[in-house]
Amino acid sequence: MRAILDIILILLQLYIYIVLASVVFSYLVAFNVVSRRNPTVAAIGDALYRLTEPVFAPIRRRLPDFGSIDFSPFVAILIAIFIERIIAYYIYPYVP
């Protein structure tokens, strides 16, 4: 059982890195550092969008409108850290 919990913790940490990569990518596109016309950049953007949008969309629906600022990545990271802490402090020590 501990191996499954370890895998879940690793996947949560990996997802946090994917969310951070998505945020950095969106800033690079917004400030015209990279162009989405490049096929490689477009493929990376599409992959990041497909990995993060299923989590971001429900969070965006529940958050109030802040204009052009999107707080859904921040909330998604906080939720992932919260789940990590629950597993590490309350579930992991009691699993044989």
Side-chain angles (χ1 to χ4, degrees):
M1 185 68 175
R2 285 184 183 256
I4 294 172
L5 291 175
D6 285 336
I7 291 171
I8 292 171
L9 290 172
I10 290 169
L11 290 175
L12 284 169
Q13 194 66 35
L14 180 66
Y15 196 74
I16 289 173
Y17 291 135
I18 290 171
V19 168
L20 291 174
S22 175
V23 169
V24 170
F25 182 81
S26 69
Y27 278 123
L28 291 175
V29 170
F31 292 122
N32 290 325
V33 176
V34 295
S35 174
R36 293 205 51 124
R37 294 180 188 162
N38 184 338
T40 306
V41 173
I44 292 170
D46 186 50
L48 289 173
Y49 178 81
R50 289 175 188 241
L51 288 170
T52 57
E53 193 58 27
V55 175
F56 290 172
I59 294 172
R60 281 190 195 114
R61 283 194 300 268
R62 287 175 178 78
L63 287 177
D65 185 22
F66 290 108
S68 62
I69 300 174
D70 185 16
F71 286 109
S72 58
F74 178 68
V75 174
I77 290 173
L78 287 179
I79 291 170
I81 291 172
F82 181 71
I83 293 171
E84 279 183 344
R85 298 296 165 110
I86 287 176
I87 291 172
Y89 293 137
Y90 297 109
I91 298 173
Y92 199 80
Y94 301 109
V95 174

Short mmCIF file of all heavy atoms in Angstrom, two decimals, residues 2 89-96:
data_model
loop_
_atom_site.label_atom_id
_atom_site.label_comp_id
_atom_site.label_asym_id
_atom_site.label_seq_id
_atom_site.Cartn_x
_atom_site.Cartn_y
_atom_site.Cartn_z
N ARG A 2 2.00 1.18 0.69
CA ARG A 2 2.88 2.35 0.71
C ARG A 2 3.41 2.68 -0.68
O ARG A 2 3.63 3.84 -1.00
CB ARG A 2 4.05 2.13 1.67
CG ARG A 2 3.65 2.24 3.10
CD ARG A 2 4.88 2.11 3.98
NE ARG A 2 4.50 2.14 5.36
CZ ARG A 2 4.67 3.21 6.14
NH1 ARG A 2 5.22 4.28 5.67
NH2 ARG A 2 4.30 3.17 7.39
N TYR A 89 0.87 13.13 6.06
CA TYR A 89 0.76 13.26 7.52
C TYR A 89 -0.30 12.38 8.14
O TYR A 89 -0.18 11.99 9.30
CB TYR A 89 0.50 14.70 7.91
CG TYR A 89 1.65 15.62 7.61
CD1 TYR A 89 1.44 16.87 7.05
CD2 TYR A 89 2.95 15.26 7.91
CE1 TYR A 89 2.50 17.72 6.79
CE2 TYR A 89 4.02 16.10 7.66
CZ TYR A 89 3.79 17.33 7.10
OH TYR A 89 4.83 18.17 6.84
N TYR A 90 -1.37 12.07 7.42
CA TYR A 90 -2.48 11.36 8.05
C TYR A 90 -2.72 9.96 7.51
O TYR A 90 -3.24 9.12 8.23
CB TYR A 90 -3.78 12.18 7.88
CG TYR A 90 -3.70 13.50 8.57
CD1 TYR A 90 -3.62 14.67 7.86
CD2 TYR A 90 -3.68 13.57 9.98
CE1 TYR A 90 -3.54 15.89 8.50
CE2 TYR A 90 -3.59 14.78 10.61
CZ TYR A 90 -3.53 15.94 9.87
OH TYR A 90 -3.43 17.13 10.50
N ILE A 91 -2.35 9.68 6.28
CA ILE A 91 -2.61 8.36 5.72
C ILE A 91 -1.34 7.50 5.74
O ILE A 91 -1.37 6.35 6.14
CB ILE A 91 -3.18 8.48 4.28
CG1 ILE A 91 -4.51 9.22 4.34
CG2 ILE A 91 -3.35 7.11 3.67
CD1 ILE A 91 -5.08 9.55 2.97
N TYR A 92 -0.24 8.06 5.28
CA TYR A 92 1.01 7.30 5.14
C TYR A 92 1.51 6.68 6.45
O TYR A 92 1.92 5.52 6.46
CB TYR A 92 2.07 8.21 4.52
CG TYR A 92 3.24 7.47 3.90
CD1 TYR A 92 3.14 6.90 2.66
CD2 TYR A 92 4.44 7.36 4.59
CE1 TYR A 92 4.19 6.23 2.09
CE2 TYR A 92 5.51 6.70 4.04
CZ TYR A 92 5.37 6.13 2.78
OH TYR A 92 6.42 5.47 2.23
N PRO A 93 1.48 7.40 7.58
CA PRO A 93 2.00 6.79 8.81
C PRO A 93 1.19 5.59 9.31
O PRO A 93 1.71 4.75 10.03
CB PRO A 93 1.95 7.92 9.84
CG PRO A 93 1.90 9.16 9.04
CD PRO A 93 1.20 8.82 7.78
N TYR A 94 -0.08 5.50 8.95
CA TYR A 94 -0.93 4.44 9.47
C TYR A 94 -1.11 3.26 8.54
O TYR A 94 -1.82 2.33 8.86
CB TYR A 94 -2.30 5.03 9.83
CG TYR A 94 -2.19 6.11 10.86
CD1 TYR A 94 -2.41 7.44 10.52
CD2 TYR A 94 -1.82 5.81 12.17
CE1 TYR A 94 -2.30 8.44 11.47
CE2 TYR A 94 -1.70 6.82 13.12
CZ TYR A 94 -1.93 8.13 12.76
OH TYR A 94 -1.81 9.10 13.70
N VAL A 95 -0.46 3.31 7.38
CA VAL A 95 -0.56 2.20 6.44
C VAL A 95 0.52 1.19 6.77
O VAL A 95 1.70 1.55 6.88
CB VAL A 95 -0.39 2.71 4.98
CG1 VAL A 95 -0.36 1.56 4.01
CG2 VAL A 95 -1.50 3.68 4.64
N PRO A 96 0.14 -0.09 6.92
CA PRO A 96 1.15 -1.10 7.27
C PRO A 96 2.09 -1.40 6.12
O PRO A 96 1.85 -1.20 5.00
CB PRO A 96 0.32 -2.33 7.61
CG PRO A 96 -1.03 -2.09 7.06
CD PRO A 96 -1.18 -0.61 6.88
#
